[in-house]
Amino acid sequence: ERLSAVGEVAAYTAHNIRNPIASIRAMAQVGLADANGNPAIESTLRDIIGCVDKMEQWIAGLLNFARPLEMNRSRIDLRAVAKAVYGLSAKAAQAKDLELELAEHPTPIPVKADEVFLEQALHAILSNAIEAVPRLGRVSITTSVDDGAVIPKAILSVRDNGPGIPSELLP
């Protein structure tokens, strides 16, 4: 019963969020058509459309919340996921006067993962880091490969120079 109630709340919430998001996307598309070749405006409107599209994916995930988790794993490039999330987070970091760095491995890093879930997880971690780091701080995303292991390991890390979790909250 509780799971059913959560599913109903998720569906209600998703429906009420989808309507204004669709309007935001439509207005951004109209603005893009009227941008008259202004690169700054076009770039901003494309960013808005991209963010709205990501929100739509997350809303779809919310609707699937009450259902058993199904991973759609496929071969993806870990660097591409990191780069996409970096792009979505750059303006939030800039607005807070943070230095956001992306250190990419020089070659593609193929991994078998659910791209949407991986992107959501990385975005949540990066958003938390951006929120926690004080103004003029630094947040970095790094993709690398540990070739020294028997089976090479893909590594994705997020680091920041924030204060960390207070010791009383660690437990």
Side-chain angles (χ1 to χ4, degrees):
E1 287 178 18
R2 288 179 69 184
L3 192 54
S4 175
V6 167
E8 287 180 35
V9 168
Y12 174 80
T13 302
H15 174 75
N16 286 312
I17 292 173
R18 272 187 165 152
N19 289 335
I21 285 179
S23 296
I24 292 168
R25 190 179 203 291
M27 287 185 279
Q29 286 177 313
V30 168
L32 190 57
D34 294 341
N36 296 324
N38 184 317
I41 292 173
E42 288 178 354
S43 174
T44 299
L45 291 171
R46 282 193 186 94
D47 286 347
I48 291 169
I49 291 168
C51 287
V52 166
D53 289 345
K54 291 296 176 194
M55 289 177 70
E56 181 59 38
Q57 286 180 337
W58 296 339
I59 290 168
L62 177 64
L63 287 172
N64 292 325
F65 178 74
R67 294 185 205 135
L69 181 63
E70 291 182 27
M71 301 291 263
N72 296 313
R73 296 182 345 151
S74 61
R75 292 187 68 77
I76 60 171
D77 180 6
L78 187 62
R79 292 181 331 154
V81 171
K83 193 172 192 168
V85 174
Y86 169 85
L88 289 172
S89 304
K91 287 204 179 1
Q94 185 180 21
K96 198 172 171 187
D97 289 329
L98 297 181
E99 181 181 344
L100 181 61
E101 302 171 331
L102 175 62
E104 295 180 278
H105 190 266
T107 61
I109 304 174
V111 296
K112 190 169 184 180
D114 185 304
E115 187 170 8
V116 172
F117 285 139
L118 181 58
E119 197 171 90
Q120 287 175 351
L122 180 56
H123 190 270
I125 292 167
L126 195 57
S127 293
N128 287 344
I130 289 170
E131 186 178 310
V133 172
R135 189 173 167 274
L136 302 177
R138 183 176 52 256
V139 178
S140 64
I141 308 166
T142 305
T143 57
S144 59
V145 176
D146 178 0
D147 291 324
V150 175
I151 299 174
K153 296 179 184 178
I155 301 169
L156 174 63
S157 66
V158 176
R159 297 181 190 268
D160 65 63
N161 65 347
I165 300 171
S167 58
E168 66 273 7
L169 295 179
L170 282 175

